[in-house]
Amino acid sequence: MNRCTDFQLKGWLPLAAALRVSACASHLQKPAAPAAPAADNTAAAPAPQVPDKGDPEQRFQAALQLMKDKKPQDAKDAFAALAQDFPQYSGPLTDLGALQAQGKQRDQAIGSFSRAVAISPKDDFAWGWLGILYREGSDYGRAEQAYLKAIALKPDNPVTHLNLGILYDAYLKRPQDALAQYREYQRIAGKDGKPVVTAWINELQDGLPQAAGNPAAAAGQAAPAANTPAPVERKP
């Protein structure tokens, strides 16, 4: 069976928009006005003119609306400009990265998500996307680490468990690790889980050693990695 599908690529962009609205709004508070300086008879130098970059929250909302209106290039331009004018916020970079990834601009998307996690290391959404993009570029070690970081930050996200399971199954040939991730996906997703994952689990179990004399395996647990035979090749 084909395991190469990255399920995060489907249906996440509207969620990204919703997440970024709340995250951005909570961090776009105006700083408190400074205290008035003491009286000074010295003539003050004229204050430098600072260009008006507009209200970042309003600009962010406008960029989100472009996404909803299915104008991806306009939205990308808006998020890129917002990220340049307000580099302290990760939200515009995360949405820019998602749009770039959906537009098959992998290198640009990796750059945007990498900048986002540098600003906000706890952005599980950006880490999950980095896992997808590294996997697409055959950088499986980085893909695994990115998925693990996303799971550590948000362990109840079934999609990341599923994508990590696919990485272990189809690319790294680690069937027991894949089984653990698929089972965790099913546990979290429940009745909303994808039925095909059950078939993948059964297929992997058929290729693992039998439980003869192994209490852990007899109890339905995965056998130690040292006892795992060479897995059957699965072409992505």
Side-chain angles (χ1 to χ4, degrees), residues 12 18-19 51 61 63 68 72 85 87 90 94 96 98 116 123 127 142-143 163 170 172 175 221 232 234-235:
W12 269 46
L19 290 176
Q61 294 294 337
K68 296 175 184 177
D85 290 343
S90 65
T94 304
L96 174 61
D123 190 337
W127 282 117
R142 283 189 178 181
N163 282 343
L172 294 179
Q221 300 175 13
V232 178
R234 302 171 189 273
K235 295 182 179 180

Side-chain angles (χ1 to χ4, degrees), residues 120-196:
S120 179
K122 294 185 178 181
D123 190 337
D124 65 285
F125 180 85
W127 282 117
W129 265 108
L130 282 170
I132 292 173
L133 296 165
Y134 285 139
R135 199 283 301 159
E136 288 181 348
S138 300
D139 193 344
Y140 303 139
R142 283 189 178 181
E144 179 188 16
Q145 292 305 310
Y147 284 141
L148 290 173
K149 286 181 180 179
I151 288 172
L153 292 166
K154 192 172 183 179
D156 61 346
N157 186 340
V159 176
T160 313
H161 287 285
L162 179 55
N163 282 343
L164 180 57
I166 292 170
L167 179 72
Y168 285 147
D169 185 1
Y171 299 93
L172 294 179
K173 309 304 179 186
R174 291 160 54 180
Q176 290 169 329
D177 290 331
L179 272 173
Q181 295 301 321
Y182 288 158
R183 286 168 176 158
E184 188 65 5
Y185 164 78
Q186 286 190 320
R187 184 189 70 81
I188 299 170
K191 64 180 181 180
D192 296 326
K194 297 180 180 297
V196 70

Side-chain angles (χ1 to χ4, degrees), residues 8-29:
Q8 280 174 296
L9 286 172
K10 298 178 180 179
W12 269 46
L13 198 54
L15 175 60
L19 290 176
R20 298 285 80 75
V21 171
S22 59
C24 191
S26 64
H27 294 289
L28 293 181
Q29 303 299 325

